[in-house]
Amino acid sequence: MAQPLKDNDAFGGETVPVRFHTKTFEKKMPTVTYHVPAKVTLDALSDFVNLHLKLPQEQSFNFLLDDEFITTNVLAQFMLRKKISKEATLDLEYTPAFQIEAGLNMPHDDWVPTICRLPIPHTPGSDPSLHPYLTGSYDRCVRIWKGTECLHVSGGHTNAIKQAAILTASEGEVGQGKRKRDAVQCSFVTGSSDGTIRLWKYYNGSMSEQYCFTHPDALDTIALHPTNSLVASGGWDKLVRVWALDKVIEDGCKGGREYLQSTLLGHSRAILATAWSQKSAERLFSTGLDGAVRVWDVQQGAPLMKLSGNNSAAYCMATAPGDVILSGHTDNKVRLWDTRTPKTNQIFNGHKGWIFDVTWNHLAGGTAGNEFCTASEDGSVGVWDIRSTGPLGMMQHHTDGVLSVCWLGNGIILSGSKDNTVRSCSVNHKTVLEADSTVAV
């Protein structure tokens, strides 16, 4: 049943002209104009599309207008909010509704603030939940995983591991004859509250430390350059440092020269997140407790820009092609920034606790490239699309605050928590037609 408007009854019992199209569903609505009640609910609109498509079973749909998700319960409420004339013909896009389901549970001995997918090509037909990944924990240990199987645990840091980043990874057969087996190999860096950045190599079931950079204070963030040539770090001394990782490797990890390339001064409080530009090789972003997102030219060692929308502290950030930035804050909001302007471009609301991590869905193509996920102190994992200011879905499968999130691939998200677990959930836009391949489309 259509719900009455609370704030404005301007539409009365009128109808509005609507056309339907889709970019993501197999069956198409007829290219005609329908007249639907202005006060129609989105559930009723979904039923209307189901009826005209004659689907084998009910399919829930979401709707977009001008590439923006309609998030009100009633169509007329969205029209009033956007100041759309009731005489205008609405060209609505319908898309399968978002689904999110709980998955696996991987116990740890302490909080899990970092998870990294190993960049190994996915084998068609293989189980995506078994893709290898790495976790770092407050118990000072790094773990290599494949699904729920922990392949290796290794220590070395003297305090909590706050962040990790993967340089190289592969998976293949090692050994000879009866000893031949599948094995994961990787090299990576970790940053810790002990003030060190460590370079590691995992090979043939064994972990070895290759090199150690010493930071003068506790670290909260590291960021690996897209070319693996540099690693940036930030922490409680309010300075961003950039280290020449390529020179360390060039020297055989034996040291012998200065590897600190730049020291960047500008933040007034601790730095909690750093990220490299995907557009410019010399550009670096940082943020932290002062709430500002700063843009740096690493080659010149100079600030380029300060992005500031409010004074709420930021715990995390993520970049996308074109230097579109997401930052998560202690006012429970995620902010979207476009580096062509110093002001916030968009604000996302939905969490009830601080945002500890945010990451783009870089593994997806098409419209799924608009998606990102978040980790919050409220114990939930949020999944979002930049075309909507509210979440597409929330998964509350942890018993304490969530510190880290990672897209594993094929719609699987991993999350690390203060409840000492890593848990997986699967997100998809699966359709009833995929469940029934006999239906003609």
Side-chain angles (χ1 to χ4, degrees), residues 23 25 233 247 254 298 333 342 348 352 375 388-389 415 441:
K23 300 175 184 175
F25 196 65
S233 62
K247 293 181 180 177
K254 297 178 181 179
V298 171
K333 294 177 172 60
F348 302 91
K352 298 178 181 178
S388 173
T389 56
S415 54
V441 296

Side-chain angles (χ1 to χ4, degrees), residues 243-324:
W243 311 81
L245 187 59
D246 55 349
K247 293 181 180 177
V248 171
I249 296 172
E250 182 181 301
D251 293 343
C253 300
K254 297 178 181 179
R257 55 174 161 164
E258 178 59 60
Y259 298 116
L260 180 60
Q261 178 171 305
S262 302
T263 302
L264 308 173
L265 172 63
H267 284 283
S268 60
R269 299 183 66 189
I271 298 164
L272 303 183
T274 49
W276 289 95
S277 166
Q278 297 189 40
K279 182 179 179 181
S280 171
E282 294 80 28
R283 187 171 293 183
L284 175 71
F285 308 105
S286 61
T287 191
L289 292 183
D290 62 12
V293 175
R294 293 185 178 271
V295 186
W296 307 92
D297 184 318
V298 171
Q299 189 171 24
Q300 299 297 324
L304 293 176
M305 195 176 194
K306 177 183 176 183
L307 311 178
S308 183
N310 71 349
N311 294 321
S312 175
Y315 263 86
C316 55
M317 67 189 314
T319 58
D323 283 354
V324 178

Side-chain angles (χ1 to χ4, degrees), residues 16-73:
V16 293
V18 173
R19 289 193 297 263
F20 294 93
H21 73 281
T22 185
K23 300 175 184 175
T24 56
F25 196 65
E26 296 92 332
K27 292 195 76 173
K28 314 296 181 183
M29 287 283 285
T31 54
V32 299
T33 300
Y34 301 91
H35 289 269
V36 302
K39 294 182 182 180
V40 66
T41 65
L42 295 194
D43 286 342
L45 206 56
S46 182
D47 291 341
F48 181 82
V49 173
N50 272 267
L51 177 65
H52 284 74
L53 292 181
K54 300 179 181 179
L55 299 177
Q57 55 183 290
E58 185 177 354
Q59 170 74 58
S60 295
F61 291 104
N62 290 331
F63 296 90
L64 299 91
L65 180 63
D66 294 332
D67 210 31
E68 178 180 352
F69 276 95
I70 299 175
T71 55
T72 58
N73 291 327

Side-chain angles (χ1 to χ4, degrees), residues 325-394:
I325 303 169
L326 292 168
S327 58
H329 296 258
T330 56
D331 63 359
N332 311 341
K333 294 177 172 60
V334 176
R335 288 174 170 80
L336 178 74
W337 309 85
D338 185 330
T339 52
R340 293 173 294 185
T341 173
K343 299 298 182 181
T344 306
N345 188 265
Q346 193 170 341
I347 297 176
F348 302 91
N349 296 281
H351 280 298
K352 298 178 181 178
W354 294 3
I355 313 297
F356 285 131
D357 199 10
V358 60
T359 181
W360 290 98
N361 187 3
H362 289 304
L363 301 176
T367 58
N370 295 318
E371 294 175 354
F372 63 94
C373 61
T374 51
S376 173
E377 175 63 19
D378 64 15
S380 69
V381 173
V383 184
W384 312 70
D385 189 300
I386 61 172
R387 296 171 294 174
S388 173
T389 56
L392 297 181
M394 288 279 190

Side-chain angles (χ1 to χ4, degrees), residues 61-183:
F61 291 104
N62 290 331
F63 296 90
L64 299 91
L65 180 63
D66 294 332
D67 210 31
E68 178 180 352
F69 276 95
I70 299 175
T71 55
T72 58
N73 291 327
V74 176
L75 180 61
Q77 290 175 333
F78 186 81
M79 295 176 67
L80 288 170
R81 179 186 297 175
K82 295 296 181 180
K83 299 180 180 179
I84 299 171
S85 169
K86 52 191 173 185
E87 284 79 28
T89 299
L90 306 183
D91 193 7
L92 298 183
E93 177 186 347
Y94 60 97
T95 185
F98 189 83
Q99 301 175 42
I100 181 166
E101 299 175 350
L104 305 174
N105 176 20
M106 286 64 74
H108 285 64
D109 293 330
D110 212 329
W111 295 4
V112 187
T114 185
I115 308 172
C116 296
R117 175 188 185 272
L118 299 192
I120 298 170
H122 178 70
T123 303
S126 63
D127 185 349
S129 68
L130 298 180
H131 192 96
Y133 61 96
L134 175 151
T135 61
S137 173
Y138 269 62
D139 67 1
R140 308 181 298 279
C141 290
V142 172
R143 292 169 173 82
I144 309 292
W145 297 82
K146 196 170 183 181
T148 57
E149 180 185 2
C150 184
L151 303 178
H152 185 83
V153 182
S154 187
H157 284 288
T158 59
N159 209 327
I161 296 173
K162 302 304 288 288
Q163 202 158 20
I166 311 298
L167 280 81
T168 62
S170 63
E171 186 175 20
E173 292 183 341
V174 297
Q176 299 292 328
K178 294 182 179 180
R179 295 179 178 272
K180 184 180 291 186
R181 58 185 175 85
D182 290 335

